[in-house]
Amino acid sequence: MAAHFGRRLRKGAATTAVAAAAVAALSASQAPGATGDDHGRQATAGASAPVPDPTGDDATGSSPYYTDLPPLNSPNPSPSPSAGTPVAQGAAEAGIPATVLDAYKKAEAELRASKPGCNLPWQLLAAIGKVESGQARGGEVDASGTTLRPILGPVLDGNGFALIKDTDHGAYDGNAQYDQAVGPMQFIPSTWAWAGRDGNGDGKKDPNNIYDAALAAGHYLCRGDRDLSQAADLHGAILGYNNSQDYLNTVLSWMEYYSKGTYSVPDGTGAAPGHRSDDGTPRTTPSTPAEPADPHQGKPGSKDQGGRPSPSPTPSKPGGGQDGGDPAPRPPGTPDPTTPTPTDTVDHLENAGTGTAELTATAGDAFTGTISTRAETKAGAAVAKVRIRFTISGDTDATFTGGEDVATVATDSKGVAKAPALQAGEKTGDFKVTATVVGRSLKGVDYQATVTERPADTLAATTNGDTPLTCTPGGEFADQVQLKATYKGAVADKVAATATLIKSATDATENDRGPYFKDATTGKAVRTLTGLKTDAKGLLTLPKLYADDTTGTFLLRVTTPGGGTLTVQLTVAADGTATASPSPSPSASAGS
């Protein structure tokens, strides 16, 4: 294996200073002249300890990770050497399996389009993939990107690791007692439940598929309004993936290394790491590969996924090691798996003061109200450190800040979890936010929310030049009616409007004669138009108007949510002197 900084890094043994020095050395030896805006990577050595992600769900459940650091020398960015050609020191580590590399780059491209402000570099995904699974065990994936064998972290039973009881009924990890991190990006099932994505377009969200997992990791890192070109946001995102300072520095080291050049190698030939943070058995050779609880789900290892059939999982003993054998000694401070966790003590959830009136917003605006939920015991006592999942449902495009429709937040010392701010989309109507306890089947708390239409309280006709609209019976008006919408004096954009040719100023029902619009598809006469919207400047130009054989004076009325109303008077005359103008008087009659 290529030279690395240090020998084997034990969790907690490698200090922040050592890891930071490694990154600083990489920066100095590999990036002469690098600037500080290079995704924040140069700032590591002097940065203060970052604050971990506060959302309450880290992606991996703080599972172990590979601690191997990249070589000191810069990678060789040239194409992969031909067979038999000696490989320069460091070049092997710069090679990334072709399918895995493609997945990272596709995820970067998707995030560049959907969340351009996040500035996600694919090298960050590659660094996390290296640290979490050694790039899917050196690229052991099939043509669709699914791992040939399951990649599982240790059982999270509190025996030296976090204690996370089963949340997926063993569907992803084959373990119905405790959760395990799954797949090349090592998502725990409870996080995958909301963070999962379909990255290869097969209609499934599979944590064992590198395309799905890489895209999910990208969205996970880009939550909220993060800008990963800023060091603070970059560090917070990485710590949110696995809350460890050593993990942060290891990922930054690989990200720096890959930024200097990589090349594609055939799947299955990538360099595999050997040192893990818990000094456990490397995940490249799991002793108990699992199958999904439901064999019809088509998880990795089953024949319908193109992988090799996996042996049936050996049930893990509570408190036991990965091989289900005798329990390993539990380090001081780790929880006893037989002791109830805070989640176990929750009896019910309560609304923590969110009022229904607070959960109404205009389309495109942020909600001013905050959804708060309190976790309580049977006796009504607050329960802290419990993960609450907030899920948006209903026919709406409302999201939490950052564009997600699911968010997980840990309760504070008062047992309260506050959901991220809600952002209204353009779809109006009602939707629901449900709060549930992660890892429990308790009844959730529902919060009803409403998105209302954008309003305009004033409509004003704009000038059509000095020439009035002209028309003769059976002809068409030379110019189109245009108006401008405002709300409280400001431009009202994207406001829905309805235009109707009405019978009279006192009878707003649709007229059955006189001027009309034409249906865009059939060409038939239409005297009511819906679905109109003002543009970014608040302007709305109506389609061309036509006249039938009836002469006289007619009224066109345009209305908007918020009370905006404009009435335009139309006169059709045989001599062609028809005009269109705002009607100042409500006494005008139609068809006189």
Side-chain angles (χ1 to χ4, degrees), residues 37-419:
D37 61 355
D38 188 15
H39 294 294
R41 292 187 290 272
Q42 317 304 327
T44 305
S48 59
V51 178
D53 193 328
T55 54
D57 238 357
D58 70 19
T60 69
S62 296
S63 292
Y65 56 91
Y66 289 112
T67 58
D68 302 79
L69 289 170
L72 279 171
N73 59 297
S74 299
N76 182 0
S78 62
S80 179
S82 59
T85 302
V87 179
Q89 184 183 25
E93 291 291 351
I96 299 177
T99 298
V100 177
L101 180 59
D102 184 57
Y104 297 149
K105 292 185 176 181
K106 277 184 167 57
E108 179 197 55
E110 196 279 340
L111 267 298
R112 190 186 303 124
S114 62
K115 295 185 177 181
C118 178
N119 294 306
L120 172 78
W122 67 260
Q123 290 89 346
L124 174 57
L125 296 176
I128 290 175
K130 178 71 172 181
V131 169
E132 293 295 344
S133 69
Q135 311 298 19
R137 296 196 194 100
E140 289 188 4
V141 296
D142 63 19
S144 69
T146 300
T147 56
L148 300 180
R149 294 175 292 141
I151 302 176
L152 295 175
V155 177
L156 298 177
D157 59 3
N159 186 25
F161 309 109
L163 175 57
I164 303 179
K165 294 186 178 180
D166 176 64
T167 62
D168 67 331
H169 306 292
Y172 294 118
D173 54 17
N175 189 332
Q177 288 184 300
Y178 301 97
D179 273 351
Q180 295 175 249
V182 180
M185 302 303 278
Q186 288 291 281
F187 278 95
I188 55 174
S190 60
T191 301
W192 184 261
W194 62 266
R197 294 291 191 280
D198 176 15
N200 63 351
D202 64 357
K204 294 182 292 186
K205 301 175 182 178
D206 185 358
N208 301 284
N209 182 279
I210 186 58
Y211 287 99
D212 295 359
L215 183 58
H219 277 278
Y220 184 92
L221 294 163
C222 285
R223 286 174 300 162
D225 57 354
R226 283 177 178 151
D227 177 359
L228 300 184
S229 66
Q230 302 299 314
D233 284 357
L234 175 65
H235 293 181
I238 297 171
L239 286 171
Y241 213 90
N242 191 320
N243 188 16
S244 161
Q245 185 71 41
D246 291 336
Y247 179 88
L248 169 67
N249 288 316
T250 305
V251 169
L252 289 174
S253 295
W254 281 107
M255 181 178 168
E256 177 72 20
Y257 183 73
Y258 287 138
S259 72
K260 302 308 175 191
T262 59
Y263 59 90
S264 174
V265 299
D267 290 344
T269 65
H275 303 146
R276 208 174 69 181
S277 60
D278 64 335
D279 281 340
T281 303
R283 272 169 281 178
T284 51
T285 55
S287 56
T288 57
E291 291 178 343
D294 180 357
H296 300 294
Q297 289 184 354
K299 294 291 184 276
S302 62
K303 294 180 180 179
D304 62 341
Q305 284 296 312
R308 297 191 293 271
S310 301
S312 299
T314 302
S316 299
K317 297 179 181 179
Q322 279 184 273
D323 59 359
D326 294 333
R330 187 165 52 249
T334 58
D336 185 338
T338 62
T339 302
T341 66
T343 299
D344 294 328
T345 66
V346 178
D347 177 74
H348 58 275
L349 296 177
E350 294 285 349
N351 183 338
T354 303
T356 55
E358 299 174 352
L359 297 180
T360 299
T362 300
D365 289 348
F367 284 77
T368 56
T370 301
I371 294 177
S372 299
T373 301
R374 176 180 161 94
E376 297 183 353
T377 65
K378 190 172 184 179
V383 185
K385 299 181 180 179
V386 173
R387 292 180 296 163
I388 305 299
R389 179 172 295 134
F390 297 94
T391 305
I392 297 174
S393 60
D395 185 19
T396 179
D397 55 355
T399 64
F400 294 113
T401 301
E404 306 293 343
D405 57 9
V406 179
T408 303
V409 182
T411 57
D412 60 18
S413 60
K414 297 180 180 179
V416 175
K418 294 183 179 180

